[in-house]
């Protein structure tokens, strides 16, 4: 319970550049969050209903990777996908840490 979590140990390589040129309004941020949440909910529903979570994840990942490559190119697509994996790893690490404390 007394362990300190050092967030800087979990940061991705700072050399990875994410396009931060466009600043979104609060209205646009809300819209993006709603789109993201509705897509994640739909994917989770199909994965659960069909009992094929890996298939759904692979199909969604394939679509995302191919479409992002067309829109932004390889470097930004790879950086985004890497950040997604880093986020998932952080979540797993935190959940394990909290499970140990229980």
């Amino acid at each position: 319970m007394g362990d300190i979590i050092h967030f800087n140990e979990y940061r991705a390589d700072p050399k990875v550049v994410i396009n931060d040129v466009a600043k979104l309004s609060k209205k646009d941020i809300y819209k993006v969050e709603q789109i993201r949440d509705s897509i994640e909910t739909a994917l989770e529903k199909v994965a659960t209903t069909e009992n094929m979570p890996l298939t759904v994840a692979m199909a969604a990942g394939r679509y995302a990777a191919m479409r992002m490559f067309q829109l932004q190119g390889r470097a930004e697509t790879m950086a985004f996908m890497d950040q997604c994996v880093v986020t998932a790893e952080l979540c797993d690490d935190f959940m394990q840490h909290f499970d140990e404390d229980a």
Side-chain angles (χ1 to χ4, degrees), residues 25-100:
S25 68
K26 288 184 180 185
K27 181 180 176 182
D28 287 338
I29 290 170
Y30 178 79
K31 184 177 181 179
V32 168
E33 289 173 346
Q34 291 300 307
I35 292 169
R36 178 205 60 207
D37 292 347
S38 67
I39 291 169
E40 288 178 357
T41 299
L43 290 170
E44 189 62 38
K45 186 181 286 187
V46 172
T48 302
T49 302
E50 298 297 329
N51 194 26
M52 297 185 82
L54 181 59
T55 300
V56 173
M58 290 173 73
R62 180 179 184 271
Y63 175 82
M66 293 176 76
R67 189 68 173 129
M68 287 178 64
F69 172 75
Q70 292 171 338
L71 296 170
Q72 296 185 304
R74 180 182 178 85
E76 287 191 35
T77 299
M78 296 298 286
F80 176 82
M81 295 295 182
D82 185 60
Q83 286 296 313
C84 291
V85 171
V86 167
T87 301
E89 289 172 335
L90 279 171
C91 289
D92 285 350
D93 289 347
F94 288 137
M95 293 308 293
Q96 287 177 356
H97 182 76
F98 291 131
D99 287 345
E100 291 171 1

